[in-house]
Amino acid sequence: MNAQQDDEALLRISGLRVGFGSPKHRLTVLDGLDLSLRKREILALVGESGSGKSMTALAAMRLLPQGAAVTAGEIRLDGQDLIALDDKAMNKVRGARIAMLYQQPKIMLDPTATVGSQVAEAMRLRWNLSRAEARPKVIGLLRDVGIPEPELRAKSYSYQLSGGMAQRVMIAAALSAEPEVLIADEPTTALDVTVQAQILRLLRKKRDEHGLAILLITHDLAIVSSIADRVAVMYAGRVVEQGPAREILNAPSHPYTQALLRSSLMQAKEDGRLYAIPGHVAASHSMTCGCRFQPRCTLAGQLGIEAQCLSDEPRLETVSAAHESRCWGKGREGRVHAV
Ligand SMILES: Nc1ncnc2c1ncn2[C@@H]1O[C@H](COP(=O)(O)OP(=O)(O)OP(=O)(O)O)[C@@H](O)[C@H]1O
Ligand code: SF4
Ligand SMILES: [Mg+2]
């Protein structure tokens, strides 16, 4: 379902463009991104390194790095345009209604504040709680994310935590004010499989019990398969395919998604070697007017549609109900392993 057409979207990103630098020397990293996330939905955002997943998350939080700016498009939370909000209004939304787990948790934690006060911050702001009122909730949250001896840990500082422990504290802090939307950027990368499973169970529980909507950014297709309702595949700053998780994982339509699946650990060859997608994600300044995947795609040649692929950018077109793909070869025969 196209983002603009999804009436039930809680978070709706439409035509989003984000670039670094000045108008004269702009490096465009998101280029017309459309994405929608419904209440109680877990949407996995996947794609190779550099495809723009973290920029999408940071744009939605209005926390783009210095030098980056939104140059076009809308980001709406329950109809409210987040880009149009002033900083004060956005500060009220951030943490309380839309929260984020960052790719590098230790950098995001304040080394001068205790773990407990950082987890308490968003809930205290949202519900105007005293430290004493927040304390039992903080301990409960730390316990929920699997922190042993939460009463003791609440008094420690982030530099005393391991990477995995810091990530769990970040998760507790992000869920502190019971946000409607959680953006989780590789939330379990630093964790061992047991803790990873525990965190995924917790996210699922928050979704089931509180209707939490989760935009889950991950490289791990096993996690996608275990938790996601829908998947959006990003390539060079745009969504190239999206649809129900089972369908995308079992019957990908876009040549890039097919290649991505083959390169994943789930698809490891019997001899243990991995398939790598030849070439690299195109840098925005080298993008042509045609399909961005064209330099790496062999399907165009197989179908004899190179000229069209080089000159025109394909639109997202329906593959089946709620499943869309951005490829001129869609529906044409002979297109099984394209890359
Ligand atoms: N501070 C920066 N200055 C210039 N370009 C940047 C900066 N940060 C990111 N980029 C560029 O923006 C593009 C998108 O980066 P982004 O971090 O969103 O990728 P990603 O999909 O999250 O990758 P990964 O899977 O490695 O986390 C990349 O081409 C990257 O090089
Ligand atoms: S539009 Fe053409 S180049 Fe792009 S993925 Fe489809 S077949 Fe390949
Ligand atoms: Mg990233």
Side-chain angles (χ1 to χ4, degrees), residues 29-333:
V29 293
L30 298 183
D31 193 6
L33 181 88
D34 295 319
L35 210 57
S36 69
L37 176 68
R38 294 176 173 194
K39 187 177 162 115
R40 212 180 290 277
E41 180 176 60
I42 300 180
L43 171 66
L45 189 57
V46 302
E48 280 170 292
S49 193
S51 55
K53 305 178 299 294
S54 294
M55 285 298 148
T56 303
L58 293 170
M61 294 298 288
R62 288 262 311 266
L63 290 174
L64 284 171
Q66 213 176 4
V70 171
T71 55
E74 287 185 340
I75 302 171
R76 290 189 178 271
L77 179 63
D78 214 4
Q80 184 176 38
D81 186 3
L82 299 185
I83 295 173
L85 293 183
D86 62 27
D87 289 348
K88 198 174 158 204
M90 188 61 209
N91 282 341
K92 283 192 177 161
V93 171
R94 200 185 295 122
R97 299 191 60 200
I98 177 167
M100 180 164 169
L101 289 171
Y102 300 87
Q103 212 168 350
Q104 294 161 310
K106 260 200 150 164
I107 296 173
M108 300 312 294
L109 287 169
D110 178 354
T112 65
T114 63
V115 160
S117 62
Q118 292 185 71
V119 173
E121 192 180 334
M123 73 169 74
R124 289 190 60 201
L125 267 176
R126 180 159 197 187
W127 295 298
N128 205 16
L129 301 178
S130 68
R131 272 203 184 83
E133 286 168 326
R135 191 173 158 71
K137 291 176 189 289
V138 168
I139 304 297
L141 265 172
L142 290 175
R143 189 172 290 117
D144 273 354
V145 295
I147 304 263
E149 301 183 292
E151 291 86 355
L152 273 181
R153 282 293 174 195
K155 292 179 193 153
S156 52
Y157 291 85
S158 57
Y159 65 83
Q160 298 171 304
L161 304 175
S162 66
M165 207 69 97
Q167 182 63 304
R168 281 183 266 176
V169 168
M170 281 297 295
I171 293 171
L175 297 175
S176 162
E178 294 179 12
E180 294 150 70
V181 174
L182 177 70
I183 300 178
D185 195 352
E186 302 280 358
T188 59
T189 308
L191 307 177
D192 68 47
V193 279
T194 317
V195 184
Q196 188 178 87
Q198 190 180 8
I199 297 298
L200 293 177
R201 270 200 303 277
L202 176 71
L203 293 181
R204 212 182 277 123
K205 184 170 162 229
K206 295 285 173 191
R207 183 274 296 273
D208 294 342
E209 291 177 0
H210 303 287
L212 179 67
I214 303 172
L215 179 63
L216 177 70
I217 297 170
T218 183
H219 281 105
D220 189 334
L221 295 182
I223 291 179
V224 174
S225 145
S226 76
I227 197 172
D229 303 306
R230 274 198 310 128
V231 178
V233 183
M234 271 191 87
Y235 188 77
R238 281 192 169 195
V239 170
V240 294
E241 182 166 11
Q242 59 182 351
R246 193 172 298 174
E247 216 171 300
I248 298 283
L249 295 175
N250 293 325
S253 171
H254 197 283
Y256 176 62
T257 314
Q258 293 170 1
L260 197 66
L261 290 179
R262 281 205 285 154
S263 69
S264 79
L265 278 173
M266 284 167 80
Q267 303 284 314
K269 289 183 185 172
E270 277 175 18
D271 63 4
R273 285 186 302 131
L274 293 178
Y275 170 83
I277 308 172
H280 304 281
V281 179
S284 76
H285 52 78
S286 66
M287 283 173 189
T288 59
C289 48
C291 169
R292 278 130 211 249
F293 189 57
Q294 184 276 330
R296 303 172 77 186
C297 181
T298 56
L299 179 65
Q302 286 172 23
L303 295 178
I305 55 173
E306 299 102 317
Q308 185 179 23
C309 298
L310 266 170
S311 62
D312 301 325
E313 163 106 53
R315 280 204 299 255
L316 275 174
E317 303 273 3
T318 304
V319 175
S320 61
H323 182 176
E324 297 176 318
S325 174
R326 192 188 283 280
C327 174
W328 292 123
K330 183 182 75 62
R332 305 190 196 196
E333 294 306 319

